[in-house]
Every structure is written in structure tokens, then in C-alpha cells.
């Protein structure tokens, strides 16, 4: 029991416990940037590694002192946003290089989404899938507010333009 | 532009996608009860949002990929997160921690 208690108090284990439940979301975002299983997996790992290296001061709280369990949910959300920032930074460059390679394998239901610019895809995913606020997206994508709003507007327009055509054609058939 | 219209426009998207906080959501619902003329627009926006969401891929994390990522992330944490000037006791604790989690 004493050993279990000691292990529970280990700081890096606490960081891992915060980190692992984020895998689903990190992978989802990575796949929206690069539509390939292996590339998405690698992007998750690279995003976390970049975060651990570049945010060493923030990460130091897991080696320097006790982490208040009441703050775990808040810390996990901060952790997600910080990692997403690095993942987006790396993923957008990689997507420019790789997207053409995977374009033929994209399921037809998602072709329209992957026809969007990688930055528009990121903003759309963060807003409509992760439900982040505009200010949070500004921070994650390191974009000024007007650019986030512009990309949301463009993405919505490009994805929903068929909806209006569909409605009109349904109405005219009725 | 009327005050009601500008309030509606400012909050409608966040209301539909569920990202308003509890108080703001309650206020918006009360607004809709007193302004039912906006309800058809809510329905149209909801349909548009569902349509947009249908284009965003939902990926299920495969068991093998989940395990591979978890194992890589543990290794990364143990390799990259270390106190700058660790004492011998801290180093020993870290070794045990790595062994327990391996």
C-alpha cells in the first residue's frame, strides 16, 4: 500500500494520467489535418514532444511540487489547448506537403472538408467539433480574431453552399 | 438593426452548438420565449450546423493505435520531463516510476 501511495504521488505519473485521456481529441484533430492513420499518430506524438520541450516551465509543476487534484480538470483543458497549438503548428506544414499524397484515399463523404485549406479545417474542427470559443481558437492557432472569424465564415460557406441549392431543388420538386 | 436582432445574431451560433455558459443559455432561452419569431431561424441554423458537422470526419481510435500512442507518450514524458538538478533520492524515485509504468 505504501508503494502504491508513493507511486500515486509521482508527478510525472500525474502528467501521464492527465495526458492519456486526451488522445482521442488529439488524434481527431491530427486526422482532420492529415487524413492518414500513421501520419495522424505521428502528429499526435510530435505535438506532445514539442509541447514537453518548449513548455518546460509549465511542465515543471509536475516535477517541482504537488498538483492539487481539484485543479485536474482545469489543468487537463490547459494541457489540451497547449498541445493542440504545437500540433497545429507542425500539422499545417506537414499537410501542405502531404495532402496531395492522400487525396485519392479520402472517403467521398469528407472530400469537401479536405478540399478546404488546412487552416480553415483546423478552425472548423476546433469550433464545431471541439466547441472552443473564438478566443481559444485565436490562442491555439496563433491567429488574430479577424482571421479566425474569416476562416469560420469561409468554411461554413464552402461546406453549406450545397445545402441552399439542395433546399431550393427540394422545394421546386415539392 | 434592432437590439433584439443584434442580441440574437451575437448568441445564436454558440446557443446552437452548446458552447454558451449556463447563465447565458438561460437568458437566450428566455429571449426566445418572448421572441418566438426567431424560432424558424434557429431551426434553419441548426440544420445548417448539422450539415456542416457531417463533413468533419469522426475518427474512432483503433485499439492498436491507442496503445501505440499511449506507450510513446509515456516514454516521451519520462525522457523529457526531469527536474534540472535531481537529488539521488529523486533520481531513484524516477527510476521506480519509469519501471512501474513500463
Amino acid at each position: 500500500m505504501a508503494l502504491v501511495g508513493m507511486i500515486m504521488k509521482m508527478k510525472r505519473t500525474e502528467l501521464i494520467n492527465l495526458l492519456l485521456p486526451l488522445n482521442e481529441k488529439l488524434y481527431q484533430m491530427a486526422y482532420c489535418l492529415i487524413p492518414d492513420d500513421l501520419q495522424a499518430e505521428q502528429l499526435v506524438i510530435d505535438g506532445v514532444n514539442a509541447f514537453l520541450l518548449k513548455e518546460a516551465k509549465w511542465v515543471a509543476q509536475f516535477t517541482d511540487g504537488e498538483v492539487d487534484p481539484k485543479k485536474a480538470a482545469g489543468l487537463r483543458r490547459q494541457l489540451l489547448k497547449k498541445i493542440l497549438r504545437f500540433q497545429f503548428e507542425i500539422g499545417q506544414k506537414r499537410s501542405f506537403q502531404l495532402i496531395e499524397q492522400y487525396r485519392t484515399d479520402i472517403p467521398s463523404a469528407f472530400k469537401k472538408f479536405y478540399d478546404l485549406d488546412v487552416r480553415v479545417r483546423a478552425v472548423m474542427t476546433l469550433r464545431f467539433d471541439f466547441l472552443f470559443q473564438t478566443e481559444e481558437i485565436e490562442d491555439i492557432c496563433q491567429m488574430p480574431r479577424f482571421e479566425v472569424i474569416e476562416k469560420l465564415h469561409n468554411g461554413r460557406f464552402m461546406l453549406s453552399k450545397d445545402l441552399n441549392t439542395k433546399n431550393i431543388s427540394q422545394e421546386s420538386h415539392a | 438593426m434592432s437590439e433584439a436582432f443584434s442580441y440574437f445574431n451575437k448568441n445564436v451560433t454558440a446557443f446552437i452548438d452548446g458552447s454558451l455558459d449556463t447563465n447565458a443559455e438561460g437568458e437566450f432561452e428566455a429571449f426566445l420565449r418572448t421572441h418566438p419569431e426567431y424560432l424558424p431561424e434557429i431551426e434553419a441554423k441548426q440544420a445548417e450546423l448539422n450539415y456542416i458537422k457531417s463533413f468533419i470526419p469522426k475518427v474512432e481510435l483503433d485499439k492498436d493505435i491507442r496503445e501505440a500512442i499511449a506507450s510513446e507518450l509515456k516514454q516521451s514524458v519520462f525522457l523529457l520531463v526531469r527536474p534540472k538538478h535531481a537529488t539521488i533520492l529523486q533520481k531513484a524515485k524516477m527510476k521506480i516510476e519509469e519501471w512501474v509504468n513500463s
Side-chain angles (χ1 to χ4, degrees):
Chain A
M1 282 304 281
L3 181 67
V4 174
M6 191 173 114
I7 293 160
M8 292 300 283
K9 279 188 177 172
M10 288 173 174
K11 304 294 173 290
R12 295 183 303 171
T13 307
E14 287 182 23
L15 177 58
I16 289 169
N17 291 340
L18 285 176
L19 202 53
L20 292 186
L22 300 178
N23 283 351
E24 298 273 347
K25 283 192 179 260
L26 293 173
Y27 188 76
Q28 167 75 16
M29 178 65 170
Y31 199 87
C32 287
L33 298 176
I34 309 174
D36 175 73
D37 290 345
L38 278 178
Q39 288 290 343
E41 180 185 335
Q42 194 55 49
L43 184 54
V44 171
I45 295 161
D46 293 343
V48 171
N49 285 346
F51 156 75
L52 291 174
L53 286 168
K54 293 190 176 176
E55 292 272 345
K57 273 191 187 169
W58 190 85
V59 173
Q61 66 184 301
F62 296 97
T63 54
D64 292 349
E66 290 283 330
V67 174
D68 184 351
K70 286 178 197 161
K71 291 182 181 163
L75 277 174
R76 185 170 284 143
R77 193 168 168 82
Q78 276 186 50
L79 194 61
L80 175 64
K81 288 198 273 183
K82 283 175 183 287
I83 298 170
L84 284 173
R85 197 165 83 202
F86 290 102
Q87 198 182 70
F88 170 69
E89 196 185 321
I90 302 167
Q92 64 169 324
K93 289 176 198 155
R94 236 170 248 181
S95 174
F96 285 131
Q97 298 159 350
L98 296 171
I99 192 78
E100 291 309 322
Q101 208 173 308
Y102 299 111
R103 206 174 281 287
T104 49
D105 302 327
I106 296 169
S108 59
F110 305 121
K111 279 212 187 304
K112 234 173 142 182
F113 178 73
Y114 286 104
D115 280 343
L116 299 173
D117 177 85
V118 61
R119 286 163 297 201
V120 177
R121 292 204 302 273
V123 168
M124 295 292 284
T125 305
L126 292 169
R127 183 72 188 100
F128 296 111
D129 192 16
F130 290 31
L131 304 181
F132 278 121
Q133 300 289 346
T134 313
E135 305 83 64
E136 293 175 301
I137 302 173
E138 281 174 61
D139 188 38
I140 293 167
C141 297
Q142 298 287 290
M143 281 178 199
R145 172 175 284 242
F146 75 87
E147 205 179 327
V148 173
I149 292 170
E150 182 217 330
K151 291 200 173 358
L152 280 173
H153 181 79
N154 286 348
R156 287 179 76 134
F157 175 76
M158 294 305 288
L159 293 181
S160 66
K161 64 181 176 185
D162 284 356
L163 181 66
N164 299 330
T165 326
K166 225 174 168 182
N167 283 348
I168 291 165
S169 80
Q170 276 171 354
E171 279 165 19
S172 60
H173 283 292
Chain B
M1 197 191 292
S2 79
E3 212 172 294
F5 183 70
S6 100
Y7 173 78
F8 176 80
N9 263 352
K10 197 180 159 196
N11 292 289
V12 63
T13 308
F15 174 73
I16 288 168
D17 68 25
S19 62
L20 278 183
D21 66 43
T22 320
N23 286 345
E25 192 179 79
E27 267 176 37
F28 195 80
E29 281 167 353
F31 170 86
L32 287 176
R33 281 194 291 275
T34 54
H35 296 81
E37 67 275 19
Y38 288 108
L39 288 175
E41 201 165 333
I42 291 272
E43 281 170 22
K45 291 238 180 218
Q46 182 71 63
E48 187 199 359
L49 193 70
N50 290 342
Y51 188 69
I52 287 171
K53 281 184 174 177
S54 70
F55 289 102
I56 302 177
K58 291 270 172 297
V59 280
E60 292 274 320
L61 199 47
D62 179 77
K63 188 175 169 262
D64 291 342
I65 298 178
R66 183 195 307 274
E67 283 172 3
I69 293 177
S71 158
E72 287 277 353
L73 294 190
K74 279 180 191 176
Q75 278 187 39
S76 294
V77 169
F78 291 136
L79 192 72
L80 301 173
V81 184
R82 292 171 175 274
K84 273 187 181 163
H85 308 287
T87 61
I88 292 173
L89 185 66
Q90 278 175 320
K91 281 179 187 168
K93 257 180 104 175
M94 285 194 296
K95 281 281 171 211
I96 297 171
E97 189 180 28
E98 285 163 28
W99 175 73
V100 167
N101 280 285
S102 63

